[in-house]
Amino acid sequence: MADVPGLVSLAPVSGGVIPVLWLCGPSGVGKSSAAFEIFSQISRAGVRAAFLDLDQIGLCYPVDDEHRVKIDALGAVWPNYRAAGAECLILSGVVDTAEQARAYAGAMPGAAVTLCRLRVHADELRRRFVGRGWRPELVDRAVAAADALDRTGFADLCVDTDGLAVPEVARTVRERIGEWPAAAPSPPPAPPAPRAGAAIATPTLWLCGPVGVGKSTIGYEVFRQVIGDGVTAAYVDARQIGFLRPAGGDPGGHALKAANLAALEAVFRSAGAQCLIVSGEAGHPDAYTGLFPASVLTVCRLDAGPDRLAERLLLRGRGHGPVIPGDELRGLPEETLLKIAERAAVEGATGADGAVRVDTDERSAADAARAVRAAAGDWPRPRTPSG
């Protein structure tokens, strides 16, 4: 397929242009992994770079138009990345048509967007998709989507990833786009860290706990169960909405995460969400409690014993489970993982005063999610007309 340059680049606006590299393609092709690798390489070189997986800001179901929610969500968080001083943004996410791509780009005023489509042959796509271990029953849909994309001509460039490891894909993409992001004008100096906007008004369940306890897995399972009960719900993994490096004056990205969480909640509420599930870092989410009236926030602390934490961390280190952008445990030596597990076990004995606590040791993700909801009072409880 020939490259089709200049699809969605936007003109500069007051305050400077921010270059955006968007990796798209079918599910399973490796967009998020390659995009995060590019983000890591650029930020290590000293460029203040941000990374965002569009799937992570669109988990609100059921809705009539998933892309519309993601476009609105991207538009809501974009000013926060600019305010935090991002010099460039690397995106990953599915887009099906040129019209959709233009709508997403239009949500980012002041962005110069380069759209790069990753492709791979059908057999390799099947292998990668099933190898993720997440929703393997959707593999045929992914292959059909890839075939449909191959019949289109939109994207600034297309990179074939057959036989390439993630670092090789990242290197190939960067070679194809040239001196990105150096070609774009620099944005103005970074102002103070962003502040969250309006308080969150949606009933929110926040799952916290030590590393490896299963916050994201159980949080997503709660989300699935609530949707299955017929409730429109949204889910956010707080870690996934704060990637900005070098961190500068916001270690851990908590100011950016808080601002983005508030922005996303408003979008989800407008889309009809009746509740929000958040998975966050270990301990009580103190950096975020100012966002929530006491009446809407329920904090649940997930616990696990030292042996179970070690078992789970070793599995993650060996590559088991879904690939999550920024998972720093994958590939670590066993000795290092065991030390992390020891620290996590100590951490698990403290924190989150006043939170609901649920032991996950002998529970599957589905069982743990049910236990969380029961411990939180059959969350989300039906709201009365006055509540």
Side-chain angles (χ1 to χ4, degrees):
M1 171 182 167
D3 293 346
V4 183
L7 171 66
V8 293
S9 295
L10 300 182
V13 298
S14 177
V17 170
I18 295 181
V20 175
L21 174 61
W22 180 359
L23 269 59
C24 65
S27 294
V29 76
K31 303 179 295 297
S32 297
S33 297
F36 195 87
E37 176 64 21
I38 292 172
F39 159 71
S40 299
Q41 292 177 6
I42 290 174
S43 60
R44 284 196 299 267
V47 177
R48 192 164 168 82
F51 165 79
L52 183 64
D53 183 341
L54 289 172
D55 285 343
Q56 297 288 339
I57 61 170
L59 293 170
C60 182
Y61 297 112
V63 292
D64 293 332
D65 186 347
E66 180 181 345
H67 280 290
R68 185 69 260 168
V69 172
K70 290 182 182 179
I71 291 166
D72 291 345
L74 180 60
V77 300
W78 171 247
N80 295 331
Y81 287 104
R82 292 195 62 132
E87 296 178 286
C88 63
L89 172 65
I90 298 94
L91 287 176
S92 65
V94 172
V95 64
D96 301 310
T97 67
E99 291 73 23
Q100 286 177 359
R102 292 191 180 98
Y104 279 103
M108 298 181 288
V113 183
T114 301
L115 188 64
C116 174
R117 182 166 71 86
L118 303 183
R119 71 175 306 277
V120 69
H121 288 107
D123 289 344
E124 177 62 10
L125 180 61
R126 286 182 180 276
R127 187 190 68 78
R128 293 182 187 180
F129 193 99
V130 173
R132 299 189 312 179
W134 187 80
R135 304 295 301 276
E137 72 275 10
L138 299 180
V139 63
D140 289 337
R141 184 184 302 180
V143 172
D147 184 61
L149 284 171
D150 280 341
R151 294 194 297 270
T152 70
F154 77 91
D156 293 293
L157 67 155
C158 184
V159 172
D160 195 315
T161 68
D162 271 302
L164 300 182
V166 170
E168 294 173 306
V169 174
R171 183 170 59 250
T172 301
V173 170
R174 295 189 67 188
E175 288 172 353
R176 293 283 301 278
I177 60 178
E179 294 297 322
W180 191 93
S186 297
R195 296 178 63 87
I200 289 177
T202 302
T204 300
L205 176 66
W206 189 300
L207 276 69
C208 61
V211 61
V213 77
K215 297 180 292 294
S216 298
T217 301
I218 295 170
Y220 188 80
E221 182 60 32
V222 171
F223 171 60
R224 283 168 50 91
Q225 290 180 11
V226 171
I227 292 171
D229 291 343
V231 176
T232 302
Y235 170 72
V236 175
D237 182 339
R239 187 166 188 266
Q240 294 296 317
I241 58 172
F243 287 117
L244 180 65
R245 299 175 185 167
D250 183 19
H254 293 298
L256 179 59
K257 292 174 189 175
N260 282 346
L261 183 60
L264 291 173
E265 184 270 347
V267 170
F268 296 150
R269 180 158 32 92
S270 296
Q274 298 165 279
C275 62
L276 171 65
I277 300 99
V278 180
S279 59
E281 297 176 2
H284 194 284
D286 297 316
Y288 310 88
T289 50
L291 298 177
F292 302 93
S295 59
V296 304
L297 177 63
T298 301
V299 177
C300 179
R301 172 86 179 187
L302 302 178
D303 293 326
D307 291 343
R308 187 52 56 90
L309 285 174
E311 175 187 331
R312 293 172 181 172
L313 288 174
L314 287 172
L315 287 173
R316 274 177 61 179
R318 295 165 185 157
H320 292 265
V323 177
I324 301 174
D327 187 351
E328 297 171 350
L329 298 177
R330 283 181 174 252
L332 289 181
E334 182 173 311
E335 180 181 355
T336 302
L337 290 166
L338 290 175
K339 289 181 179 178
I340 293 173
E342 289 176 7
R343 291 195 298 269
V346 173
E347 174 192 315
T350 61
D353 293 339
V356 172
R357 302 183 77 101
V358 171
D359 187 347
T360 66
D361 264 351
E362 303 302 326
R363 291 184 165 117
S364 66
D367 288 341
R370 284 189 285 269
V372 165
R373 297 181 63 192
D378 194 27
W379 194 92
R381 295 179 297 276
R383 303 182 72 187
T384 64
S386 61

